[in-house]
Amino acid sequence: MKPVAPEQTFNEAKDLVGKVEANWKSVKLPKPLISAFSKAWVEYVGYPAIRSTGITRLHTSSERSENVADIDLALGIAVSPLRELLHRYKEYAIKAVNEADITEFKKEYGSKVQGTPACWKKLEPAIDALQEINAEEKALLKSFLTDSEKFYDIKGIARDDFATPALCKASGKRVDRFSIIDQIAGASNTTPEVYRLFVDFIEKIDQLEGNDDFTSCFVAICEFCRDYESHAGPIKTSDPESHKVLQNLETLLGELEKEFSKYRGVTFTFAHSKGSGSFPRVPWVGILPPGQSPKSGIYFSMCFGREGNGAVAGLAESVQNRGRIQTNERIEESKVINVNGGDPKQYYNNTYENPLEILKDSFSYEDLKEHVRVSLDRALECLDLKQSNPPMPFTKIPPEISDYTVCEALLSKPFTILTGASGTGKTKLATSLAKHLSNIDSSNSQIVAVGADWTDNRSVLGFVNHLNADKDGPRYQSTPILDLLLRATNDTDVPYFLILDEMNLSHVERYFADFLSAMEQKDGTLKLHSESSELRRAGRDSADVPAEIEYPENLFVIGTVNIDETTYMFSPKVLDRANVIEFTVSAGEIGAFLKEPNDYPEIETAAPGIAEGFLQLAKQARNLGCEKLPEQPAEKISKHLLDLFNILKAERFEFAYRTAKEINIYLQVCRHLAEDKAAWDISGWRNDLDDQILQKLLPKLHGSAGRIGKLLATLTHYCDSGEYKADISTQLSAAAELESGEKTAFPKSLAKLQSMIGTLRDEQFVSFIQ
């Protein structure tokens, strides 16, 4: 094999190796593993010939996932896809390959990285002929040589049997060595030296004992404390032992600083114990919010126990200045780690609000980081400091909520109605979106069940309660919705979600009229009271309810709707201001569910900055700041909308400027989120325009057969052909018999219209929301 020329890949590879080294913490892999890989590659290949031609990610699976096995390096030079490195089975794999005709395999496989070419089956006779292994081992070997995932299904073979204990210990997770090898697989022909590289790579993994920088320093400091406890006298700050522990403390802070120096938009400082004359018996490190100090402040602290068995970490308050947080005393009977120093000023057992004991023998850096986040969030809350993250571009909708267009709808207009039969997942979808884009304490969302007695806006915005008054005047009787609004107005960088469950249980126009008006105005306001000054909410000490508030630009409203004899139909005024998304369930979906019932997929909270990016994109879209549609699809979309306008106008259901503008914004958002914008420009826009016909134009349709029968037939034919003809058939029977196919212009709208025609023929009256 001709090796890849160094000059073609050296600079590219050097940059890649540098990124791996620099970002090892973010991928949750121990640094020695990455270093061992990089050094081994150079040693056996002679130059850093890692090609970043296809690097997509270097990460482990989610922290909440049980396994951390997915490492995709997309190497230009890699192991054979025949998996010679198969633990104790590799010699049998080599023998089977040597005895089989793999010419066709090499020809077919080419540069494929994943997949199972059919010609791999030619290896099966050679494996069956092996005498050294039993039938179960042969089945396992075949699975390795064809599909690395199948071997987990073999009876009696557990995933744990193939885990690498040392790597698990180093990363605090479970890792499968063969998944790593399979993911690194690349070219079909390589050299023995490359095989040797990965053999050594696996061996180096096995030699790791979890000695990454942070863990090593943590253990070393614990051992220093253990030795100090048995020391005859105090250890001077000038002693070598003190110098070494200071270096370890600085290393710990350096790693924490990488993670938390700029946390939620707030700049933190870092400190550690140094001692004066004698080194303290309880070493500590601290992360300090602005204006705070170890002597008089609120901050994150980690103190090491005197016996050397671990540390205690959490939100702390200085011994000399107490009273701002609720510290919990850790009494002798309950504590495992003793963090009381020799001086009363170093008694830290009663210093923490949320003390977490971290034992040396079961230390997890990931768990510690999570506790740091919780503690810093609490500190920011206590100190009333702004919590925010730099916006990260919102470019991908999570698969758990991508089946419906709720994200696209809210990005283009902050009011969406979810309608459909009870139990179809409307509320769950809304709460899942709010959870995905939640802040640290989920205070940016509120689900409120609408009551049948909501006849005015007092159930929404509250009222002045003159019966609850004192010398300072009356109190304001607030509501969960107003509480959410006030939080939103004080936290403008984060999206807030109001979920109105069973929104039409009362007349929407009566209790929600103020919202409908304010959300349409550039600087819309909500009037709360007419008192001369701010009022205190009942149960609050501070006055924070002004006479009126601006409608929050960061507020998104999602209403769920059920239709039965206890609910009310929406007026065109309401429907015109929202995207209406209908939830339906097919017989096939119900059948599949009955065979294998499963819960609604749980969604994870987005990475820091994604929620802020969602809000940023929404504001950009509403202000027409998204990239305009290219000329060719824009002309086609305009023609379709003009045709639909003329069809609807003929029956007095036409739309106006607001709807046309919002449809255009919606399509710009969809193009922004499209993975392949070129494909969207060619034909992808049709699917999104179909959604807007369904969500913006059809919901206002309702009436008797004589009123809208002709209109439904005309629209159905148009959605089928995409062409407006003056002599188009207006017979309902002909429209109902149209069949959707590849050439159907707008299939989803066609299906809905035909469903409405069926209802109209049976009941002589129909509305979109049924």
Side-chain angles (χ1 to χ4, degrees), residues 249-461:
L249 289 169
E250 289 171 357
T251 300
L252 290 187
L253 278 185
E255 297 301 327
L256 290 172
E257 191 169 359
K258 292 177 184 177
E259 297 280 347
F260 301 106
S261 61
K262 194 75 173 178
Y263 180 69
R264 296 196 177 279
V266 176
T267 301
F268 288 82
T269 56
F270 299 79
H272 64 78
S273 55
K274 298 177 182 179
S276 177
S278 298
F279 199 84
R281 289 185 176 273
V282 180
W284 56 266
V285 295
I287 304 177
L288 309 168
Q292 304 302 298
S293 71
K295 290 185 177 181
S296 60
I298 296 174
Y299 54 95
F300 170 82
S301 171
M302 182 167 66
C303 293
F304 287 84
R306 293 182 57 154
E307 288 81 8
N309 56 346
V312 180
L315 178 64
E317 190 168 19
S318 59
V319 176
Q320 302 175 18
N321 186 10
R322 295 288 179 86
R324 287 181 288 177
I325 64 174
Q326 296 295 319
T327 57
N328 297 312
E329 185 174 3
R330 300 169 57 252
I331 59 177
E332 294 290 337
E333 290 77 10
S334 63
K335 68 176 182 290
V336 175
I337 300 173
N338 176 22
V339 290
N340 272 352
D343 188 317
K345 294 180 179 179
Q346 296 176 347
Y347 285 179
Y348 303 126
N349 280 323
N350 189 23
T351 297
Y352 296 96
E353 181 177 271
N354 58 338
L356 173 68
E357 294 192 339
I358 305 169
L359 296 175
K360 177 183 66 176
D361 296 334
S362 58
F363 172 76
S364 168
Y365 183 54
E366 294 302 315
D367 292 343
L368 173 62
K369 286 195 296 184
E370 181 59 32
H371 196 63
V372 173
R373 294 186 189 100
V374 172
S375 302
L376 294 182
D377 285 325
R378 179 74 178 110
L380 293 174
E381 179 184 352
C382 292
L383 298 169
D384 196 25
L385 293 173
K386 182 178 177 58
Q387 301 181 41
S388 65
N389 292 299
M392 296 292 290
F394 186 86
T395 58
K396 187 174 183 180
I397 298 171
E400 294 87 349
I401 57 176
S402 61
D403 288 346
Y404 292 92
T405 58
V406 63
C407 274
E408 297 93 326
L410 287 172
L411 284 166
S412 59
K413 181 68 180 283
F415 180 29
T416 293
I417 295 172
L418 309 181
T419 179
S422 179
T424 50
K426 302 184 296 295
T427 304
K428 182 62 178 179
L429 177 70
T431 56
S432 292
L433 174 61
K435 177 183 177 182
H436 180 65
L437 299 175
S438 65
N439 55 8
I440 191 66
D441 58 358
S442 299
S443 62
N444 63 328
S445 65
Q446 182 70 53
I447 180 169
V448 179
V450 173
D453 59 343
W454 287 23
T455 56
D456 56 35
N457 70 356
R458 291 192 302 172
S459 298
V460 177
L461 297 176

Side-chain angles (χ1 to χ4, degrees), residues 389-665:
N389 292 299
M392 296 292 290
F394 186 86
T395 58
K396 187 174 183 180
I397 298 171
E400 294 87 349
I401 57 176
S402 61
D403 288 346
Y404 292 92
T405 58
V406 63
C407 274
E408 297 93 326
L410 287 172
L411 284 166
S412 59
K413 181 68 180 283
F415 180 29
T416 293
I417 295 172
L418 309 181
T419 179
S422 179
T424 50
K426 302 184 296 295
T427 304
K428 182 62 178 179
L429 177 70
T431 56
S432 292
L433 174 61
K435 177 183 177 182
H436 180 65
L437 299 175
S438 65
N439 55 8
I440 191 66
D441 58 358
S442 299
S443 62
N444 63 328
S445 65
Q446 182 70 53
I447 180 169
V448 179
V450 173
D453 59 343
W454 287 23
T455 56
D456 56 35
N457 70 356
R458 291 192 302 172
S459 298
V460 177
L461 297 176
F463 58 93
V464 179
N465 189 348
H466 289 278
L467 297 178
N468 185 0
D470 54 25
K471 61 181 179 62
D472 296 321
R475 295 292 183 103
Y476 196 90
Q477 196 67 42
S478 188
T479 67
I481 296 177
L482 178 60
D483 292 342
L484 181 76
L485 290 175
L486 292 175
R487 292 199 299 271
T489 56
N490 292 321
D491 190 15
T492 56
D493 293 334
V494 177
Y496 276 70
F497 297 92
L498 171 60
I499 303 169
L500 295 173
D501 201 25
E502 298 198 54
M503 188 179 185
N504 62 331
L505 201 58
S506 182
H507 284 290
V508 177
E509 297 82 356
R510 293 179 180 175
Y511 69 84
F512 212 57
D514 295 337
F515 269 74
L516 294 174
S517 175
M519 71 171 57
E520 294 300 327
Q521 301 174 34
K522 183 68 174 177
D523 298 311
T525 59
L526 295 169
K527 184 175 177 59
L528 301 179
H529 61 80
S530 57
E531 302 295 324
S532 58
S533 61
E534 290 189 348
L535 300 180
R536 287 175 295 166
R537 280 180 278 177
R540 302 290 183 95
D541 293 329
S542 59
D544 59 356
V545 182
E548 62 181 30
I549 60 172
E550 290 188 7
Y551 187 86
E553 285 190 325
N554 55 334
L555 181 67
F556 297 84
V557 181
I558 306 174
T560 69
V561 174
N562 294 322
I563 298 297
D564 54 39
E565 63 276 4
T566 68
T567 60
Y568 298 90
M569 184 55 62
F570 287 117
S571 70
K573 174 184 177 180
V574 177
L575 295 173
D576 193 51
R577 286 164 166 77
N579 277 287
V580 180
I581 302 176
E582 186 176 32
F583 281 58
T584 58
V585 181
S586 67
E589 290 170 330
I590 285 290
F593 179 83
L594 292 174
K595 288 181 180 179
E596 189 176 353
N598 53 71
D599 294 329
Y600 196 96
E602 290 297 325
I603 196 169
E604 292 186 359
T605 302
I610 296 297
E612 289 82 353
F614 179 90
L615 176 60
Q616 187 180 67
L617 177 58
K619 291 181 177 179
Q620 182 181 355
R622 286 180 228 163
N623 294 322
L624 302 178
C626 286
E627 183 179 355
K628 295 187 180 300
L629 301 179
E631 182 177 352
Q632 187 173 9
E635 289 180 356
K636 294 178 180 179
I637 291 167
S638 296
K639 182 181 183 305
H640 281 301
L641 289 176
L642 185 58
D643 288 344
L644 289 164
F645 174 85
N646 289 326
I647 293 172
L648 292 166
K649 182 177 175 62
E651 303 298 330
R652 301 191 304 280
F653 281 102
E654 71 272 17
F655 54 89
Y657 299 113
R658 175 169 53 216
T659 299
K661 174 185 174 182
E662 290 173 0
I663 291 176
N664 188 261
I665 292 174

